[in-house]
Amino acid sequence: MQDLSPGGAHVRAVHDEFHGDLLEVSMGPHHPSTHGVFRMVVTLDGERIVKLKPVFGYLHRNHEKLGEGTSYLGSMPYTDRLDYLCSMTNNWAYAVAVEKLAGLTVPERAEYVRVILAELTRLLNHTCLAGFLMQDCGCSGTPLMYAFREREKILDLFESLSGSRMMCNYQRFGGCRVDPPADWLARAQTLVDGYTAFLDEFEALLTGNEIVMARTQGVGCMSAALAVSAGVTGPALRATGVAHDLRKVDGYGVYPRFNFRVPLGAHGDVYDRYMIRVLEMRESVGILQQALAGLPGGPIMNPAAKLRGFRPKAGEAYGRIEGPKGEIGFYLISDGSPNPWRYRVRPPSFINLTILEDMCLGHTVADAVIILGSVDIVLGEVDR
Amino acid sequence: MLGSGILQGLAVTAKNFLGSYHDPARYTTVEYPEVKQQLPEAFRNFPFLVTENATDPMGTLRCVACQICEKECPPQCIFIEKSKDKKPDANGKLQIYPVVFAIDTSVCMSCQICVEVCPFDAIKMDQVYEIATTDRFDALLLNREQLAKPNEYFHQIHPTEAAEVDARLAADRKAAEEKAKAAAAAKAALPAKPAPAPVAKPAVVPPPTAPQSPGPAA
């Protein structure tokens, strides 16, 4: 058996009785294509991958045990640090779980604000992903910089509402922390109005580009059966043609009131996963327009919600929402004390990553890089 | 036609490149540190302690060392030691005060939970961000003298929130004064009546360690 310990050699010759002489290469954990500190031990036959073993945990910070040690409220800022691109949706998923546990209702205005922020997060995440994916393809700089230019505008909105660009810590049990003022909503409206133009520009740059198509089509195919059996969720699942979107399936929050479609792919390759995200962004723009137009007045917090001395009754709850990367869920068991007895995260990045080897087999090393990029992982969430 | 997609993409980059010369909206770079972006009002960095009077910061801290923030702080970066004696606060009311109030900013994650749970509006978020230092330990452990900043400063950085807080505190103070006046008037009107039953008294008087609110609860 080969030594895959973190201290193992980075390149070594191995012998396989079926393939003959192979080369084992350790990609990462500091490789720029690994989106953080992630390591792939790939066994190569020439340039083809015959075996791939993901090694992770370099960023493990004991998130779930910390959640058992702090109060319910105290875990909220930690959820920002799971998937640090999507703190708003992480906050929301955690708030949904705790609200279920405590039986709290959320005012209508807060539900609308949550939808607005979640869809802005989806725009932000998918824009970044497309930029990073092109960076992985070798398209250095330009698409990523265009993506980051737009992302910065969304982060400015988050900052002026919550006080922090990425670590928003905005949702609370029974509502939201701050009521968005009218000028903030006007700025959000301006951004949403201009986003379609950006998407058109971004697509003109990439979608029809022959090099991008040659590089991504037919690469990293995932079958629908494999995706379903592995528990893959989010755009990676929908790229295989499975219509599963929690916004439609669960219809949580006020999503049933909005008119939007769920884009589906046909091949489950890297190009489909890119394309699904672009189409989802266009749907998100539509949801944002409807939510901003229909935003009702009223309170932003449930007055029955307690900030200090919050002790939900004993029981258990699982709250899940459709995050930009897939189903993000929190499972909580309460024994009536101020801390959860068990605090478990269902991380979409981590579960989507489990079938990396199946997608990469037979492809080249350079393809493994873009396949990993198209899965859309954030190591803060994978390692927790 | 093969290659038309690439040409289309090149047209986009050319438009962006040339556009950045004449359209300020397309030139998004800010030349930090020569130019600084204006911070949004909600921007938060590390906490500071509000004092009523800038000339006597340690004597007029709003903090009464109730230790709620210390308990609620998720990364446990606040350390408070209560005073044994009581000192008059800005309103002249006798209060416990923090002998030691330290925040380890190398641990603090700027989550603002201390601000939200504070019942006395004594701790607020600062906006100073150029705080890099070469010392990892003592320079990042801020004591109460470094943390104390006057209420005027709070008004400068968070004008809306500060105005709300001041209005709330003024209303609380007024309610307390009126209550005290009404109690004094009632006492003067009924001098012959014996003192209220002493049984009820221990329940009203807070235990010596509990925080004493300057507001209507007092």
Side-chain angles (χ1 to χ4, degrees):
Chain A
M1 198 57 217
Q2 297 139 10
D3 175 26
L4 296 176
S5 63
H10 287 276
V11 180
R12 76 168 101 183
V14 288
H15 189 79
D16 184 299
E17 56 184 294
F18 297 112
H19 299 91
D21 288 331
L22 301 173
L23 195 65
E24 188 185 284
V25 181
S26 180
M27 279 179 74
H30 303 298
H31 196 274
S33 74
T34 55
H35 297 249
V37 275
F38 173 66
R39 183 172 156 209
M40 292 183 280
V41 181
V42 288
T43 309
L44 301 172
D45 181 6
E47 213 192 340
R48 302 276 154 196
I49 294 170
V50 295
K51 194 173 162 193
L52 184 146
K53 186 177 164 111
V55 184
F56 38 75
Y58 294 96
L59 210 57
H60 180 62
R61 344 184 259 299
N62 237 334
H63 179 88
E64 291 177 2
K65 195 67 194 168
L66 280 176
E68 288 163 23
T70 55
S71 64
Y72 284 89
L73 175 65
S75 285
M76 187 60 91
Y78 284 121
T79 63
D80 292 337
R81 286 143 177 92
L82 276 173
D83 173 358
Y84 37 77
L85 287 175
C86 314
S87 58
M88 287 290 189
T89 47
N90 296 344
N91 284 180
W92 189 7
Y94 180 56
V96 164
V98 176
E99 280 154 9
K100 246 186 195 176
L101 195 62
L104 277 171
T105 54
V106 181
E108 202 180 14
R109 184 175 171 86
E111 289 281 19
Y112 270 77
V113 171
R114 285 178 175 188
V115 167
I116 291 169
L117 292 169
E119 294 308 319
L120 283 174
T121 306
R122 206 178 308 278
L123 289 181
L124 180 157
N125 180 72
H126 289 356
T127 310
C128 283
L129 180 270
F132 282 133
L133 182 59
M134 292 306 140
Q135 181 88 355
D136 289 344
C137 287
C139 188
S140 258
T142 308
L144 184 63
M145 286 302 118
Y146 289 2
F148 267 50
R149 185 186 65 202
E150 297 308 310
R151 168 190 188 238
E152 207 58 36
K153 293 177 189 166
I154 301 177
L155 289 182
D156 282 349
L157 278 179
F158 285 0
E159 189 180 27
S160 54
L161 184 63
S162 73
S164 186
R165 291 164 72 243
M166 291 166 81
M167 304 296 140
C168 299
N169 184 21
Y170 178 71
Q171 313 287 359
R172 288 288 174 268
F173 317 132
C176 305
R177 184 154 59 80
V178 195
D179 197 353
D183 63 329
W184 187 88
L185 292 168
R187 280 173 62 196
Q189 185 69 54
T190 316
L191 179 121
V192 171
D193 290 340
Y195 218 82
T196 310
F198 162 69
L199 288 176
D200 290 342
E201 183 187 45
F202 203 63
E203 277 212 88
L205 182 65
L206 299 169
T207 302
N209 188 307
E210 285 81 2
I211 303 175
V212 172
M213 289 202 270
R215 193 81 171 72
T216 55
Q217 285 179 348
V219 170
C221 288
M222 188 199 311
S223 72
L226 177 68
V228 170
S229 65
V232 171
T233 48
L237 173 68
R238 291 191 287 275
T240 66
V242 181
H244 181 82
D245 187 325
L246 291 180
R247 290 175 292 174
K248 292 278 189 197
V249 174
D250 281 7
Y252 60 90
V254 285
Y255 273 114
R257 297 186 197 177
F258 303 126
N259 180 25
F260 66 100
R261 293 173 299 169
V262 178
L264 294 178
H267 309 95
D269 57 2
V270 174
Y271 189 79
D272 269 16
R273 288 197 276 278
Y274 157 75
M275 212 50 230
I276 288 287
R277 289 186 169 104
V278 173
L279 294 172
E280 265 188 23
M281 279 194 272
R282 293 191 184 276
E283 294 301 320
S284 287
V285 170
I287 297 174
L288 278 166
Q289 294 283 18
Q290 296 171 49
L292 285 166
L295 182 68
I300 194 89
M301 271 297 280
N302 183 341
K306 265 167 78 179
L307 197 60
R308 267 176 289 156
F310 179 77
R311 284 162 177 258
K313 57 185 186 304
E316 55 184 291
Y318 178 63
R320 61 177 189 178
I321 65 163
E322 180 76 29
K325 292 181 165 65
E327 175 188 331
I328 166 102
F330 287 84
Y331 177 59
L332 299 166
I333 302 180
S334 163
D335 57 358
S337 65
N339 306 345
W341 184 81
R342 178 79 173 99
Y343 170 97
R344 159 88 185 142
V345 188
R346 186 220 186 266
S349 305
F350 172 64
I351 292 169
N352 293 357
L353 193 60
T354 51
I355 52 164
L356 184 65
E357 184 180 22
D358 300 85
M359 288 192 281
C360 287
L361 288 184
H363 290 295
T364 61
V365 177
D367 286 343
V369 170
I370 62 167
I371 293 168
L372 178 69
S374 72
V375 175
D376 194 8
I377 57 164
V378 162
L379 266 296
E381 187 175 80
V382 173
D383 295 341
R384 300 194 299 295
Chain B
M1 189 191 85
L2 189 70
S4 60
I6 295 175
L7 291 175
Q8 200 188 355
L10 284 174
V12 171
T13 49
K15 211 171 85 190
N16 272 279
F17 173 64
L18 297 172
S20 67
Y21 280 97
H22 62 80
D23 183 4
R26 282 201 181 268
Y27 186 75
T28 47
T29 311
V30 176
E31 304 282 349
Y32 180 84
E34 285 80 19
V35 185
K36 283 178 188 171
Q37 272 186 314
Q38 210 203 331
L39 293 172
E41 200 186 315
F43 176 76
R44 60 183 141 95
N45 196 4
F46 291 117
F48 71 96
L49 294 175
V50 184
T51 63
E52 299 287 0
N53 189 345
T55 52
D56 177 21
M58 286 310 103
T60 55
L61 281 177
R62 277 187 193 164
C63 176
V64 298
C66 69
Q67 295 181 312
I68 289 175
C69 56
E70 189 186 26
K71 272 187 217 101
E72 292 283 340
C73 174
Q76 303 279 296
C77 71
I78 304 178
F79 178 76
I80 302 172
E81 216 170 273
K82 290 180 177 199
S83 64
K84 297 248 164 27
D85 57 328
K86 286 187 177 184
K87 268 200 319 198
D89 64 1
N91 300 334
K93 195 169 174 207
L94 282 178
Q95 296 279 19
I96 295 172
Y97 61 94
V99 185
V100 178
F101 194 115
I103 293 181
D104 190 347
T105 48
S106 65
V107 174
C108 176
M109 59 178 180
S110 312
C111 66
Q112 209 182 10
I113 282 181
C114 52
V115 176
E116 282 172 59
V117 298
C118 181
F120 302 96
D121 289 301
I123 188 165
K124 295 289 169 192
M125 296 309 273
D126 206 346
Q127 292 195 335
V128 180
Y129 55 89
E130 285 171 330
I131 41 177
T133 164
T134 49
D135 179 8
R136 281 201 292 147
F137 303 104
D138 288 347
L140 293 173
L141 184 67
L142 304 183
N143 57 30
R144 61 175 194 159
E145 281 78 17
Q146 288 160 299
L147 289 167
K149 292 192 178 173
N151 195 22
E152 292 79 48
Y153 175 75
F154 179 40
H155 273 274
Q156 259 170 38
I157 57 172
H158 300 296
T160 320
E161 191 191 349
E164 277 169 22
V165 167
D166 274 10
R168 188 163 64 232
L169 288 181
D172 287 357
R173 213 170 293 145
K174 208 174 156 199
E177 270 167 22
E178 269 167 19
K179 207 176 166 189
K181 222 183 271 172
K187 218 174 175 185
L190 296 165
K193 205 183 174 189
V199 203
K201 222 173 178 186
V204 179
V205 174
T209 51
Q212 224 174 358
S213 167

